[in-house]
Amino acid sequence: MAIRRRLDSAVVDVWKREVGELSTRKFFHRRAANENLVLRLDILRKLDKHNGCVNTISFNASGDFLVSGSDDKRVILWDWETGQVKLLFYSGHEDNVFQAKFMPYTDDRSIITCAADGQVRHAQILERGGVETKLLAKHQGRAHKLAVEPGSPHIFYTCGEDGLVQHIDLRTGTATGLFTCKPIPGQSYFPTVRLNTITIDPRNPNLFAVGGTDQFARLFDIRQYKWDGSSEFGRPVDFFCAPHLIDDDDVGITGLSFSEQSELLVSYNNEFIYLFTKDIGLGPEPNLAPQVPDSSQAGDDVKAIPQDYKGHKNFETVKGVGFFGPKCDYVVSGSDCGRIFIWKKKGGELVRVMEADKHIVNCIEAHPHATVLASSGIEHDIKMWTPKATEGAILPTNIQKVLVAVVGPTSLNMRWSSIGYIIESRRPRRGGWMHRLLSPEELMLQVLSRQRRRTSGPDGGGEASGEGINNLLQFLLTFDANSESSDDGGGDVSGPEDYFV
């Protein structure tokens, strides 16, 4: 019956378009977001030419071509409809390519890339098919993401694990360091927040957001930057965080995306995906007291909470997140279980789970105009998805058993929805991409930071304990430095492998 109703609706829309009661634009938006098309998504073809994990995929503005980058350090331009390689070249990077994007209004001849070597590079495709690449900027550590200013063939931003955000203008070939992302005072002893992702608001390109190894997505306004360097830039105009995560330092952000309605989508590791509207930000000076929503409260004092999207697993890698549909009607994400998850943006209902990789799906890119998806992950190919299946898929009745088999029964909750039981992942132990080597100084900083947060209280005792911990920290660091200077090379010396989180 549901299929019959969707068919009847489609016939009516076609009739309305033909008689002039429905504009072509509205017809396209209504039909392209139709759930039946999402349910009929199937693999059209696999694009297989890389010799390593495919870490980035991106369409050009028209959607005719796709650019990809990989662990093999190569960049490939594809005609995805035919599966043909239009151009293949070495990026000039010395390590895995993490992102590659077309610059708009350049006839698809200008491509920017960033990589695990920290480099940000520009590739210019020449008239006869040659490619010139050059270094534009460098991060101290890996550079995961780029953000292109909408409609600009010259301007883009970069962020890296050094916490630095850079503004690059291709007309001059210069990079301007805007700021280094700092933790909120009192939240961490680490001097910087290592950044994984950056995105620009398409409705207001003056606004961009960054996310990394803490729980806060930070929103900045480039108009506050003084290009003569006369004032310090780096104070966010707003912070976003799920209420129950405000006091949680075991999570980080792997992906950010703005919708066409300026909503901010935030994907956490070891947690879920959340959608924030502009009115539920924490403001430029957030209240860091944990906020647990109380349904018994009523009235205007109750602050809206973000919409959540659950069921996937984001633990092992730095995954992106995005929207799908002409009006950003759906939310899409990869998962550690090798599947693509698609939810309705409004309400968060899970509508599709698709097998897409034998290991992990990291990237999902929506076509700019059509009902088409591209996905990639640990496998060396790219999968193109179009609504070519003759019948719409349904979530299996044993979806909870399928996911339990993937992530284990102890890390799942089940809740009932209109489509049956939905799996909600509980948080696994800390690790994955957050698991990194620490120096002795960093290890002490982390231990002392946690101790301070346990001993701080609402009575103001945290100030005294914080001062005592600072004094202890200085003593330990001085002792460590003195020990190194007097070391004659004998005895057991701890190596980097001895300092894990």
Side-chain angles (χ1 to χ4, degrees), residues 106-160:
T106 61
D107 197 25
D108 302 325
R109 292 182 176 274
S110 180
I111 297 173
I112 53 174
T113 59
C114 63
D117 58 8
Q119 293 184 20
V120 181
R121 303 186 67 89
H122 177 232
Q124 184 66 44
I125 302 175
L126 306 179
E127 289 295 333
R128 296 187 177 181
V131 179
E132 290 183 352
T133 67
K134 67 176 181 179
L135 177 67
L136 295 174
K138 187 81 166 62
H139 286 274
Q140 300 302 314
R142 295 179 292 185
H144 286 282
K145 288 293 185 288
L146 309 162
V148 178
E149 182 176 291
S152 172
H154 311 296
I155 305 297
F156 69 97
Y157 297 77
T158 76
C159 69

Side-chain angles (χ1 to χ4, degrees), residues 185-235:
Q187 284 291 103
S188 173
Y189 278 101
F190 293 109
T192 62
V193 176
R194 294 179 290 139
L195 296 178
N196 298 317
T197 180
I198 183 169
T199 186
I200 299 176
D201 186 345
R203 298 190 68 177
N204 185 356
N206 295 305
L207 301 178
F208 64 92
V210 298
T213 52
D214 72 2
Q215 62 269 50
F216 299 100
R218 294 162 168 83
L219 183 70
F220 295 87
D221 191 335
I222 191 61
R223 290 170 295 190
Q224 294 186 352
Y225 183 74
K226 304 298 183 183
W227 295 97
D228 59 3
S230 59
S231 65
E232 184 178 355
F233 178 71
R235 181 179 179 182

